[in-house]
């Protein structure tokens, strides 16, 4: 049995992808997650996966933070980003942060499932335009990945809200905790990121950000 995780917050796309995967992998057992909280729940259950299909934009994730979270939780599991963006910079950074493949959602179903199989066999798969533009060596972003991976789940949530520009009192309200608790989390986050304040933290996390397209899409 092949355990496949589809992590995407769009029900229609999940359903379509599930149908395509089921048709191509007869022994597939498909699990679904529509948010970071759902991913955390699966992680707590120690559910094993043979491959992970991840949309970069889901509730609770910010930029590449969801990718970094999953890469840390499932270090040896093939992880493929499936996204509506075809921007070369986003594709390259996804690979930098640990993705084993990147499949645009516009990819034909047959090509998509073939790409999945190649990644599961140990190959890297990228769309042709990104392969041509990929530099021979990639910048080392492992230090930032390790720092983010060291955050607790609650610190991870606070970091995401920090990236959105929320103030401490707003974060406290959203998470239903005291402002003092958020300040304590901020102190811990700054220490783990190696920064002293909010401004330095946002600058340190700039490589995680993904510019949202003007039209609807992930």
């Amino acid at each position: 049995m092949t355990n496949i995780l589809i992590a995407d917050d769009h029900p229609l796309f999940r359903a379509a992808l599930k149908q395509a995967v089921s048709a191509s992998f007869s022994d597939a057992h498909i699990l679904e997650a529509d948010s970071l909280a759902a991913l955390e729940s699966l992680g707590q259950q120690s559910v094993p996966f043979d491959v992970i299909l991840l949309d970069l934009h889901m509730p609770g994730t910010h930029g590449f933070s969801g990718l970094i979270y999953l890469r840390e939780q499932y270090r040896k599991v093939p992880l493929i980003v499936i996204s509506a963006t075809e921007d070369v910079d986003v594709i390259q950074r996804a690979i930098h942060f640990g993705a084993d493949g990147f499949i645009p959602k516009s990819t034909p179903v047959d090509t998509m499932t073939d790409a999945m199989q190649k990644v599961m066999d140990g190959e890297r798969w990228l769309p042709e335009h990104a392969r041509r533009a990929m530099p021979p060596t990639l910048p080392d972003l492992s230090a930032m990945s390790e720092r983010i991976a060291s955050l607790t789940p609650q610190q991870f949530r606070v970091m995401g809200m920090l990236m959105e520009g929320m103030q401490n009192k707003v974060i406290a309200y959203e998470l239903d905790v005291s402002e003092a608790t958020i300040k304590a989390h901020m102190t811990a986050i700054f220490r783990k990121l190696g920064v002293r304040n909010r401004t330095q933290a946002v600058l340190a996390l700039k490589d995680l950000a993904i510019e949202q397209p003007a039209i609807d899409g992930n």
Side-chain angles (χ1 to χ4, degrees), residues 121-136:
D121 290 340
E123 299 181 37
R124 175 189 288 172
W125 196 94
L126 301 174
E128 180 61 30
H129 74 284
R131 284 198 295 272
R132 292 196 303 268
M134 186 64 69

Side-chain angles (χ1 to χ4, degrees), residues 21-39:
V21 169
S22 297
S24 300
F25 299 88
S26 58
D27 64 341
H29 176 230
I30 300 174
L31 296 98
E32 302 176 47
D34 60 0
S35 65
L36 178 63
L39 291 174

Side-chain angles (χ1 to χ4, degrees), residues 73-95:
Q73 295 295 313
Y74 304 97
R75 295 187 179 186
K76 297 182 179 180
V77 178
L79 194 161
I80 304 169
V81 171
I82 296 186
S83 175
T85 184
E86 300 187 23
D87 183 81
V88 171
D89 174 67
V90 173
I91 295 173
Q92 290 181 351
R93 283 192 287 157
I95 299 302

Side-chain angles (χ1 to χ4, degrees), residues 3-5 31 42-43 47-52 70 74 77-78:
N3 289 328
I4 299 174
L5 170 63
L31 296 98
L42 290 172
V47 178
F49 301 116
D50 295 295
V51 63
I52 297 172
L70 280 176
Y74 304 97
V77 178

